[in-house]
Amino acid sequence: GAGVSQTPSNKVTEKGKYVELRCDPISGHTALYWYRQSLGQGPEFLIYFQGTGAADDSGLPNDRFFAVRPEGSVSTLKIQRTERGDSAVYLCASSSTGSDTQYFGPGTRLTVL
Amino acid sequence: AQSVTQLGSHVSVSEGALVLLRCNYSSSVPPYLFWYVQYPNQGLQLLLKYTTGATLVKGINGFEAEFKKSETSFHLTKPSAHMSDAAEYFCAVIPTNTGNQFYFGTGTSLTVIP
């Protein structure tokens, strides 16, 4: 079946602009995760959804970052007033209820000029 | 706080040689342990995981890892490297008592020399 998909694959924006990154999880997966991977680093946790609600948003770096999952499927990560330090690959993962295995999408590479 | 240490950001082996990628975790309670592989321009792919039971776990592509509680380690091995094994490898943990989020190591880039 289809895996986790993320769009766009690449996004270039200017400092101060607003961006939205989209994640389509595997069909039926109730849990959805966002991670950020900076160059030369491992992925860092941002936020975790169980269904429509954010069960853990402790990884969001500041209030410029926000994520939604209104219908419990697709999720959008929103970044306001982007900064050059936000440049990274943003990864999305999903898992089924009760499973500890997360399936990752290919990521969105965000570049803030 | 949970942390994962991968010793060696770059490892080179000859084709056919043993692959050994090291991972240590810091936790008083053994977490769930995972190895993921990332090929260029692709997403993370699960290689293997340890949650409970047998401490030697086998994964895809001939890889295996052994959980050693006394050493807080979960090293990844493969008896004979293949050119197609060249990739970035990440060790990750999920604390068993705090939730579902992964804590990743910084990764090890494996180069296979023909």
Side-chain angles (χ1 to χ4, degrees), chain A residues 49-90:
Chain A
F49 287 90
Q50 183 61 247
T52 60
D56 183 351
D57 64 358
S58 62
L60 294 177
N62 52 59
D63 61 6
R64 295 187 299 105
F65 288 75
F66 189 71
V68 296
R69 195 185 185 199
E71 298 178 356
S73 178
V74 170
S75 177
T76 304
L77 178 66
K78 307 181 181 191
I79 311 175
Q80 299 177 322
R81 304 182 304 280
T82 52
E83 300 177 356
R84 293 193 179 87
D86 299 335
S87 296
V89 176
Y90 289 80

Side-chain angles (χ1 to χ4, degrees), chain A:
Chain A
V4 179
S5 63
Q6 293 185 245
T7 54
S9 56
N10 282 282
K11 176 70 177 178
V12 180
T13 190
E14 295 179 342
K15 180 175 178 293
K17 298 291 187 181
Y18 168 84
V19 296
E20 290 189 350
L21 312 179
R22 176 187 169 105
C23 172
D24 276 277
I26 292 172
S27 178
H29 279 193
T30 56
L32 186 146
Y33 307 79
W34 283 99
Y35 295 84
R36 178 168 69 175
Q37 186 175 15
S38 301
L39 192 63
Q41 301 295 317
E44 293 181 297
F45 170 78
L46 294 176
I47 187 169
Y48 154 53
F49 287 90
Q50 183 61 247
T52 60
D56 183 351
D57 64 358
S58 62
L60 294 177
N62 52 59
D63 61 6
R64 295 187 299 105
F65 288 75
F66 189 71
V68 296
R69 195 185 185 199
E71 298 178 356
S73 178
V74 170
S75 177
T76 304
L77 178 66
K78 307 181 181 191
I79 311 175
Q80 299 177 322
R81 304 182 304 280
T82 52
E83 300 177 356
R84 293 193 179 87
D86 299 335
S87 296
V89 176
Y90 289 80
L91 298 170
C92 177
S94 69
S95 66
S96 57
T97 303
S99 172
D100 49 52
T101 300
Q102 297 180 22
Y103 297 88
F104 284 80
T108 293
R109 182 176 298 277
L110 175 66
T111 303
V112 182
L113 301 177

